[in-house]
Amino acid sequence: MNYSIRRQLTPTERDPFGNMSDVVSHLLFHRGITTAENAKDFLNPDYDFGVHDPFLLKDAERAAERIVSAIKGNEKIAIYSDYDADGIPAAALFNDFFKRIGYQNFVIYIPHRHNEGFGLNVDAVDQLAEQGVQILITLDCGISDVEPVARAVEKGMIVIVTDHHEPPAVLPVAFAIIDHKQSDCSYPDKNLCGTGVGFKLIQAILKKERFGLKEGHEKWLLDLVGIATLSDMVSLTGENRIFAHYGLQVLRKTPRKGLVRLLQKLKIAQRYLTEDDISFMITPRINAASRMGVPMDAFKLLAAETDEDADLAATHLDEINNERKGVVASLVKEVRKTIGKRHGQTMPSVIVLGNPEWRPSLLGLAANSCAEEFRRPVFLWGRDGDNLIKGSCRSEGESSVVEIMRAAPTGVFTQFGGHHHSGGFAVANEAVHYLEQRLNEAQQKILQMKNSISGGGDLGTVAPLVDREDNGTQLAAQYDNEFIDAELTLEAVTWGLNEELTRLAPFGIDNEKPVFLFKNVAPATVRTFGKTNNHVELGFKKANGSPLPAISFFGATSPWMEKVKPGQPIDLVASIEKSMFRGRPELRLRVVDVL
């Protein structure tokens, strides 16, 4: 990997930041924040001034009025959410909200990932109709589910869709559709996750009727919004930055029993919880539930009301996550081996691979690893419980998998959706045989169009994808690997500098953790640790003799390990972090790469 160090600011560029430190000014400027006002807003997230009016969302007021009416009339409401770490917190959000206002006539439905697949389905609608459901609210899904929504309407239900995925050309005929990505929705922030949209609906409901809740009480629900926002890899700017910031604040003191017990089990100090703890420890365990066939188990963790239920849920999620890791590791190995045999050194623009024996629910993790390794979009497919061909796709960072799928000829996919970086799809049996050819043709068409528009120029910087469900095995991928923020000495790494950097947190998409270059530094010690010795610690010493460790979790097999020897100088790329392992504060580096 070839890195570039971000240039220093000119006096004119530095001037708007006033008394802010040089390092904060430098980092803000290179994150696109160039005025004093924008810097102040960024460094001081403010819920009261930074969160938008929910009624700016198309159909939000209409939906809120109908839900208020349903609650007052004791109509039966079904909450139907997606099964991942965005959808499940959304279901828990409404479960919590309804219980807080004393409303009991509702049911929660989370589909089985393998047997039912993504989104609303007709069989589920029929089941809910038999239970007497009158109002159906979808969370983090529904925008593409034309037929199931039509079935629900036919059954006499009022359907309210809340989603954040890209709307298709034909929308479902629902009573209300709340999705900020609709072309005729004027909502100022287009980056909310599914739980974020669900929270806006709750804000809209409370704007119509408080149901006895004090003003601002809904902020206690931000722990769930924070988990989803940090899990779903949405841009941590604008409203999402506020949700992540306040979400972490609430999480650090949440009384939610299941989360508290899980944090205890993982030996994470709740009061020092960080975005990395969510992304690499909590998120994988929520997602493991649906991947291993038990999505309601993750919901039970977030909704547990007794210590016994909390302990059972936390223990179970941890166990199935360990099982999931073993299954995925074997799958990734098989996928890599097959790709190597089929393509050798000549890789197509888009890699497409499938096996009827592969479980679709695990393919996203494998696709992500391969997209990262082979530096191109990867589409993997298998067969689900209904014998349908379904799969997941991941981008190498530059390409949009949704754009590729949209550019494919009609008839290739029976269903698809997702984001720039990741997506899911279903393919007819006869179409799977030429799927690779069609997707490569679609990618070439997209690249030709972009080249003609840009005059053949650079298509942009590749921002590598991080799979936040792989427990941190590819931690370096959370950074924009093309750039290093600045060059530092080991002596410059102080608690004061760390405090300055923390002002920019939480870090994530569009606000990457700052990365620094430490040139010609020699570790005094090199050791591996962990149950299987798969983690690495490089022990550095500053000029005054004080120690400065550099940690790489799962780094023992990294290619750069060949360059690391005690006493031999290296050029180290790393971030700076505070560790609270076993309750003891430690300032350390986190290895990104060794040059």
Side-chain angles (χ1 to χ4, degrees):
M1 175 68 69
N2 294 318
Y3 293 93
S4 298
I5 298 180
R6 298 190 187 277
R7 65 173 179 80
Q8 293 298 310
L9 273 58
T10 66
T12 301
E13 293 166 340
R14 173 67 177 83
D15 185 62
F17 298 102
N19 293 329
M20 291 182 195
S21 71
D22 288 341
V23 66
V24 169
S25 302
H26 177 85
L27 292 169
L28 289 173
F29 180 87
H30 286 293
R31 281 154 178 75
I33 300 166
T34 58
T35 69
E37 183 179 357
N38 289 342
K40 181 181 177 182
D41 291 342
F42 186 85
L43 295 174
N44 302 281
D46 191 311
Y47 182 91
D48 293 327
F49 293 98
V51 173
H52 304 298
D53 183 345
F55 288 169
L56 293 176
L57 279 163
K58 180 189 176 187
D59 280 357
E61 186 170 8
R62 172 178 169 85
E65 287 175 347
R66 187 62 186 86
I67 294 170
V68 168
S69 174
I71 292 171
K72 290 181 175 180
N74 199 36
E75 296 178 70
K76 189 162 191 175
I77 298 174
I79 297 299
Y80 188 106
S81 80
D82 188 22
Y83 42 62
D84 66 2
D86 185 5
I88 291 175
L93 187 81
F94 270 83
N95 177 75
D96 200 347
F97 170 66
F98 283 151
K99 289 187 174 181
R100 284 172 188 248
I101 65 173
Y103 185 71
Q104 299 179 339
N105 194 17
F106 70 97
V107 295
I108 301 291
Y109 192 106
I110 303 174
H112 189 287
R113 186 171 193 154
H114 188 59
N115 296 336
E116 297 180 79
F118 174 76
L120 188 65
N121 67 81
V122 170
D123 289 342
V125 168
D126 289 344
Q127 289 182 44
L128 294 171
E130 290 175 5
Q131 296 175 34
V133 167
Q134 297 161 278
I135 309 290
L136 173 59
I137 302 173
T138 73
L139 297 168
D140 192 30
C141 63
I143 193 71
S144 298
D145 299 324
V146 174
E147 183 183 353
V149 170
R151 181 61 160 262
V153 173
E154 179 187 318
K155 294 283 186 179
M157 296 184 201
I158 296 295
V159 181
I160 295 169
V161 170
T162 76
D163 206 339
H164 73 125
H165 295 97
E166 295 288 346
V170 178
L171 295 173
V173 183
F175 176 83
I177 298 178
I178 305 172
D179 185 335
H180 49 304
K181 290 180 181 173
Q182 294 179 89
S183 59
D184 57 346
C185 179
S186 60
Y187 196 72
D189 196 319
K190 302 293 185 181
N191 294 311
L192 299 179
C193 67
T195 298
V197 177
F199 182 72
K200 300 305 296 187
L201 177 56
I202 288 176
Q203 283 186 316
I205 294 169
L206 291 174
K207 196 169 181 181
K208 288 290 180 182
E209 174 66 55
R210 294 299 306 181
F211 292 107
L213 294 185
K214 292 181 179 179
E215 196 73 34
H217 184 82
E218 63 273 16
K219 292 179 185 179
W220 283 104
L221 299 173
L222 287 173
D223 55 350
L224 296 170
V225 183
I227 288 174
T229 300
L230 291 165
S231 297
D232 208 47
M233 293 184 65
V234 290
S235 175
L236 290 189
T237 57
E239 203 163 18
N240 282 340
R241 177 167 171 79
I242 292 172
F243 286 159
H245 173 83
Y246 282 91
L248 281 169
Q249 285 193 358
V250 176
L251 279 162
R252 288 169 187 146
K253 49 191 173 185
T254 183
R256 210 172 291 277
K257 290 180 180 292
L259 281 176
V260 171
R261 184 67 189 96
L262 183 60
L263 292 172
Q264 290 171 347
K265 182 171 287 292
L266 298 176
K267 295 181 172 57
I268 297 172
Q270 183 177 352
R271 63 184 293 194
Y272 300 114
L273 191 74
T274 70
E275 62 269 36
D276 283 350
D277 294 325
I278 300 299
S279 299
F280 298 118
M281 302 299 281
I282 306 300
T283 301
R285 285 159 177 81
I286 294 175
N287 281 321
S290 66
R291 294 187 186 281
M292 303 307 288
V294 284
M296 283 301 292
D297 286 2
F299 172 80
K300 290 175 182 176
L301 176 90
L302 299 178
E305 295 183 357
T306 68
D307 292 338
E308 183 181 4
D309 288 345
D311 188 60
L312 286 172
T315 300
H316 182 55
L317 283 193
D318 199 39
E319 289 173 349
I320 61 176
N321 184 59
N322 289 332
E323 181 184 351
R324 186 272 306 171
K325 285 193 284 187
V327 173
V328 170
S330 298
L331 177 59
V332 169
K333 185 177 180 180
E334 181 182 353
V335 171
R336 284 173 174 159
K337 183 177 179 181
T338 306
I339 290 174
K341 281 184 177 180
R342 175 176 293 189
H343 298 298
Q345 298 299 314
T346 309
M347 294 286 171
S349 298
V350 179
I351 294 174
V352 181
L353 198 64
N355 185 324
E357 301 299 317
W358 290 345
R359 184 185 291 186
S361 61
L362 299 173
L363 294 179
L365 300 170
N368 187 81
S369 294
C370 294
E372 195 172 84
E373 178 176 345
F374 297 111
R375 304 302 301 157
R376 61 204 66 220
V378 174
F379 287 69
L380 301 178
W381 59 265
R383 284 193 186 275
D384 70 3
D386 293 327
N387 207 33
L388 299 175
I389 296 176
K390 292 187 176 181
S392 289
C393 47
R394 296 293 186 269
S395 162
E396 85 291 1
E398 180 176 318
S399 306
S400 166
V401 291
V402 172
E403 196 174 29
I404 293 172
M405 290 188 283
R406 280 182 176 160
T410 302
V412 172
F413 297 105
T414 57
Q415 186 181 15
F416 70 86
H419 313 286
H420 179 99
H421 290 300
S422 65
F425 59 88
V427 186
N429 287 340
E430 60 276 10
V432 77
H433 302 294
Y434 51 81
L435 181 61
E436 182 174 52
Q437 178 184 346
R438 296 293 182 263
L439 291 180
N440 274 279
E441 291 170 351
Q443 175 73 326
Q444 290 306 310
K445 183 167 63 176
I446 292 168
L447 292 176
Q448 288 171 7
M449 185 181 302
K450 288 183 176 179
N451 273 326
S452 65
I453 292 172
S454 65
D458 183 15
L459 294 180
T461 302
V462 174
L465 187 64
V466 58
D467 187 353
R468 294 179 178 257
E469 299 175 15
D470 200 20
N471 211 22
T473 57
Q474 298 295 332
L475 183 66
Q478 72 178 296
Y479 308 103
D480 179 349
N481 282 8
E482 295 290 324
F483 290 97
I484 292 170
D485 284 291
E487 182 179 336
L488 293 180
T489 64
L490 296 178
E491 285 66 39
V493 181
T494 64
W495 283 110
L497 175 60
N498 182 72
E499 188 174 334
E500 289 283 288
L501 299 179
T502 303
R503 296 182 67 193
L504 279 74
F507 299 110
I509 301 297
D510 293 332
N511 182 33
E512 290 80 12
K513 189 174 291 186
V515 177
F516 303 100
L517 174 64
F518 300 88
K519 293 193 71 173
N520 200 35
V521 292
T525 58
V526 178
R527 73 178 184 95
T528 57
F529 65 99
K531 290 181 180 179
T532 58
N533 283 317
N534 54 350
H535 309 316
V536 178
E537 181 186 76
L538 311 180
F540 293 96
K541 287 191 180 296
K542 297 183 181 181
N544 63 4
S546 61
L548 181 63
I551 299 292
S552 175
F553 291 110
F554 304 96
T557 58
S558 298
W560 52 257
M561 272 296 286
E562 298 178 6
K563 307 175 187 177
V564 179
K565 301 283 189 301
Q568 293 190 10
I570 56 174
D571 289 344
L572 177 69
V573 183
S575 63
I576 300 169
E577 65 182 22
K578 173 185 178 180
S579 167
M580 287 301 301
F581 184 62
R582 292 176 177 167
R584 181 174 60 87
E586 179 185 57
L587 188 63
R588 69 187 186 189
L589 303 177
R590 181 73 72 97
V591 178
V592 175
D593 202 356
V594 175
L595 307 183

